[in-house]
Amino acid sequence: MLLVGLTGGIGAGKSTVSALLAELGACIVDADEIARQLQSAGSPVLAAMVERFGDSILHSDGSLNRAGVAAIVFGNDDASKAALKDLNGIVHPVMQAEILRQIKVGHDDGQHVVLDFPLLAENPRDDLDATIVVDIDPEIAVDRLVNARGMDETDARNRIANQASREKRLAIASHVVDNSGDVEMLRAQVADVWGQITG
């Protein structure tokens, strides 16, 4: 059974590719979804985050205020960089353990597993049989984030700037999916790439 990495910058359409791979029979291990579950209200991870960043990262109901965390960790100054490092130190060890558990479950069920992980270029893994990178021009990504997701343009550009560069992501790719076209073009590419990997 294969373990395939899937990554792409914010706004690249990685979630859409992930959904298409699931339609093709892949078992998806979604790192973002795991992070959301680990950071749910009342969780030990969220408690550690509050201890480091304060109550301002919580909504009134005790759930995580993601925009509040983003404002702290995605700036361009040294304090933001230190905060992001601390956040990763809290979240990543627990997250890695859960990722490994879910990969094992998928493989035990006889499925090829796709690890949907936005930070794959920043945190390379040596256990992948292939790595799919969803690629898009950063300006198209900004346009989609602003117009489709309603994100503030400055926030969108800050988030892109805080991720691995397009070049760094492409350097780890064994397969590249270009998402600058429409959904049908994307669907055809994903099917072709998955066929190459699993064939």
Side-chain angles (χ1 to χ4, degrees):
M1 295 294 100
L2 300 174
L3 176 59
V4 178
L6 172 66
T7 194
I10 186 170
K14 181 181 58 58
S15 297
T16 305
V17 171
S18 183
L20 291 170
L21 288 167
E23 286 178 15
L24 293 169
C27 169
I28 307 296
V29 174
D30 184 337
D32 275 350
E33 181 56 35
I34 290 171
R36 277 191 285 276
Q37 290 168 1
L38 292 174
Q39 295 167 343
S40 59
S43 69
V45 169
L46 186 55
M49 288 171 64
V50 170
E51 189 175 323
R52 167 61 178 84
F53 301 112
D55 289 336
S56 66
I57 66 165
L58 296 178
H59 290 297
S60 57
D61 65 357
S63 64
L64 179 61
N65 176 355
R66 294 184 184 284
V69 176
I72 294 169
V73 304
F74 288 132
N76 285 318
D77 56 3
D78 287 342
S80 294
K81 289 182 174 62
L84 181 59
K85 186 175 180 184
D86 289 347
L87 175 64
N88 289 340
I90 293 167
V91 177
H92 280 181
V94 190
M95 196 165 126
Q96 286 306 322
E98 178 59 16
I99 284 172
L100 289 173
R101 188 192 72 78
Q102 291 194 18
I103 289 169
K104 183 177 185 314
V105 169
H107 281 164
D108 286 350
D109 285 344
Q111 292 179 285
H112 295 309
V113 174
V114 171
L115 174 58
D116 179 341
F117 192 24
L119 301 178
L120 202 52
E122 294 91 334
N123 300 280
R125 299 178 68 97
D126 58 10
D127 57 349
L128 301 175
D129 296 295
T131 300
I132 302 170
V133 171
V134 185
D135 184 49
I136 192 172
D137 183 293
E139 289 305 313
I140 298 176
V142 169
D143 185 59
R144 287 181 180 174
L145 289 169
V146 171
N147 293 314
R149 288 202 211 171
M151 197 178 279
D152 174 75
E153 184 176 339
T154 304
D155 183 27
R157 290 188 184 280
N158 276 343
R159 289 187 187 220
I160 288 171
N162 274 286
Q163 293 185 325
S165 67
R166 184 183 190 187
E167 291 72 25
K168 186 172 180 181
R169 263 193 307 275
L170 289 171
I172 68 164
S174 61
H175 299 78
V176 177
V177 171
D178 173 10
N179 190 19
S180 54
D182 61 23
V183 174
E184 287 315 308
M185 275 180 62
L186 184 65
R187 184 183 295 278
Q189 279 188 80
V190 170
D192 182 49
V193 164
W194 190 240
Q196 290 174 34
I197 291 170
T198 59

